[in-house]
Amino acid sequence: MQVSVQEEGFEFGARAEAFAQANNAMGAIVTFTGIVRDADQGGLVAMEIEHYPGMTLKALTEITQTAMDRWSLGDALVIHRYGRLAPGEQIMMVATASRHRKDAFEAAEYLMDYLKSRAPFWKKEILDSGTTDWVAAKDSDEDALDRW
Amino acid sequence: MDVLYFAWVRERIGLPRERIETSATTVAGLVEELRAREDRYAAAFADLSALRVALDQELSSFDASLQGVREVAFFPPMTGG
């Protein structure tokens, strides 16, 4: 299990490949990466991600450990960045390894749903108009937890 | 205890953390004390349904006890991922 909260970027391809190689007896690897996209109204200059340093790593570790306990996983990887990110940059990634793809997919979705609503990060959009907007949580994000 | 604010709660109150001596026994009691302080606190805590609270870095609730708690954090719903 690998959990990282970091400001610096990461190479998604290299991390996915290393994870797959380290778990090559598993049979199924699922990866997901989230990328900074333009604001709904356009004009995104940067996204600033604030976090709660004392809580973030602990929360991510608990979420990942729950996934490891609940599904049959050989390993799981979570990387989440904070700080100022430009459009197109990677925000985060998860990877899961299992003997069976159903476990790998479900655990990855669980990780994504919980990272969205239970990991202490807050996103702020910096727009070229000079305005800033805190990204609001969606009811659908909270509802997504109900299925677990 | 240490009280921390994040995201727009931090911006509205105008500081990231402060040390508070309180006789409040619950989070709700602490919120009432803060609201009574100044308009910026009243504005930040106007709608508790828009806020979340963590006690000693664990997500909690507004009716939770503050007994033994060293760090309280207030913030909007999280937007990770």
Side-chain angles (χ1 to χ4, degrees):
Chain A
M1 189 173 121
Q2 308 163 61
V3 179
S4 175
V5 181
Q6 61 188 55
E7 187 161 14
E8 64 272 20
F10 59 88
E11 284 187 59
F12 173 65
R15 297 302 294 261
E17 178 64 18
F19 183 83
Q21 285 304 321
N23 292 287
N24 62 7
M26 280 290 128
I29 305 289
V30 166
T31 61
F32 175 90
T33 187
I35 293 173
V36 179
R37 65 157 180 262
D38 203 353
D40 291 342
Q41 67 273 42
L44 185 80
V45 174
M47 179 172 274
E48 281 182 6
I49 303 178
E50 179 173 339
H51 78 123
Y52 181 175
M55 178 174 170
T56 316
L57 186 61
K58 197 159 83 171
L60 291 190
T61 303
E62 280 174 13
I63 292 167
T64 311
Q65 186 60 56
T66 303
M68 294 286 295
D69 293 343
R70 186 156 167 186
W71 285 276
S72 174
L73 299 182
D75 199 5
L77 164 75
V78 173
I79 301 172
H80 203 302
R81 294 177 66 193
Y82 60 89
R84 190 179 173 98
L85 278 63
E89 281 192 67
Q90 282 141 0
I91 303 173
M92 50 77 62
M93 75 172 279
V94 305
T96 53
S98 175
R99 293 178 60 79
H100 307 288
R101 68 173 179 205
K102 189 165 183 288
D103 285 76
F105 272 118
E106 282 188 8
E109 281 207 77
Y110 172 90
L111 288 172
M112 288 310 309
D113 284 346
Y114 270 79
L115 290 181
K116 208 154 197 57
S117 302
R118 290 290 181 274
F121 293 98
W122 300 275
K123 296 188 183 118
K124 186 188 206 176
E125 294 175 338
I126 317 291
L127 304 172
D128 59 8
S129 59
T131 59
T132 62
D133 279 320
W134 286 102
V135 175
K138 298 185 187 76
D139 289 341
S140 57
D141 294 339
E142 193 64 30
D143 294 345
L145 302 185
D146 290 345
R147 66 176 164 145
W148 308 112
Chain B
M1 67 181 64
D2 291 314
V3 180
L4 282 64
Y5 310 109
F6 291 96
W8 60 254
V9 183
R10 169 179 57 73
E11 290 181 340
R12 213 161 283 184
I13 291 174
L15 74 176
R17 67 188 298 153
E18 59 186 322
R19 206 163 169 80
I20 289 179
E21 301 302 328
T22 179
S23 53
T25 56
T26 64
V27 177
L30 174 62
V31 168
E32 281 313 307
E33 278 186 15
L34 291 169
R35 270 180 181 153
R37 276 182 157 189
E38 283 178 55
D39 286 350
R40 58 196 169 110
Y41 288 94
F45 290 104
D47 177 11
L48 290 191
S49 71
L51 292 178
R52 300 290 179 266
V53 60
L55 302 180
D56 291 332
Q57 294 114 33
E58 292 280 351
L59 208 55
S60 188
S61 62
F62 285 91
D63 57 9
S65 166
L66 289 177
Q67 191 168 10
V69 170
R70 289 183 301 185
E71 186 173 294
V72 180
F74 294 105
F75 42 77
M78 296 163 269
T79 52

